Amino acid sequence: MLVTRKRLICLSFVIAVIILGLSSRHYAIYLPRWVNIYLGDCLWALMIFFMVGLIFRSRGTKWVAVVALLFCYAIEVSQLYHSPWIDNLRDTRIGGLVLGRGFLWSDLISYSIGIAIGTLIDKLILSYLRNR
């Protein structure tokens, strides 16, 4: 039985993750250093997961996870490319948030964790909707 994701639920998760991400930066002084280093990247990948799920509502969780992970990895690998035009774009607030600034292997792990959390949440929600 195929259950499509509800738009309102997906959009709510996207907004909640954005708020959590911005809050994690605002209240960084209250969080342990290791949390500050990795939490933003995990939440960014989680947001991407929910956005892909919102756009492709009838696709399976595994498909959404793979597409989101490939997108996140592609953005990270793109940070190896440096040219004045893209570096100027990365120097803006939005450009830095979306494109990042420099390649880090640890970001790939953080993205994987964020996508794994999204997968678990999505499976739980779809299971709940299926049983309603």
Side-chain angles (χ1 to χ4, degrees):
M1 177 179 174
L2 179 66
V3 177
T4 58
R5 290 168 191 84
K6 306 284 185 191
R7 282 190 180 105
L8 187 58
I9 292 172
C10 288
L11 187 59
S12 298
F13 274 108
V14 168
I15 292 168
V17 171
I18 289 171
I19 291 169
L20 280 173
L22 294 174
S23 296
S24 74
R25 295 295 182 211
H26 184 73
Y27 297 106
I29 59 172
Y30 302 109
L31 299 172
R33 182 167 164 28
W34 67 271
V35 171
N36 285 325
I37 293 171
Y38 303 111
L39 182 60
D41 293 320
C42 287
L43 290 172
W44 185 81
L46 183 58
M47 179 197 68
I48 296 299
F49 176 88
F50 288 127
M51 289 176 80
V52 171
L54 177 64
I55 295 167
F56 301 100
R57 296 180 318 122
S58 61
R59 292 292 190 149
T61 302
K62 185 189 291 186
W63 189 91
V64 170
V66 168
V67 169
L69 198 58
L70 289 173
F71 178 82
C72 291
Y73 282 9
I75 293 292
E76 190 65 26
V77 169
S78 77
Q79 294 172 23
L80 293 169
Y81 174 73
H82 292 281
S83 182
W85 72 271
I86 198 160
D87 286 340
N88 288 337
L89 186 59
R90 287 180 179 130
D91 285 338
T92 66
R93 180 175 214 125
I94 281 286
L97 287 171
V98 174
L99 299 174
R101 289 188 169 72
F103 178 86
L104 293 172
W105 286 103
S106 61
D107 287 353
L108 300 177
I109 295 168
S110 297
Y111 299 155
S112 299
I113 292 168
I115 300 293
I117 291 168
T119 300
L120 288 173
I121 293 169
D122 194 62
K123 286 276 192 191
L124 291 172
I125 290 171
L126 288 179
S127 173
Y128 172 78
L129 291 175
R130 197 173 287 122
N131 295 326
R132 276 186 63 196

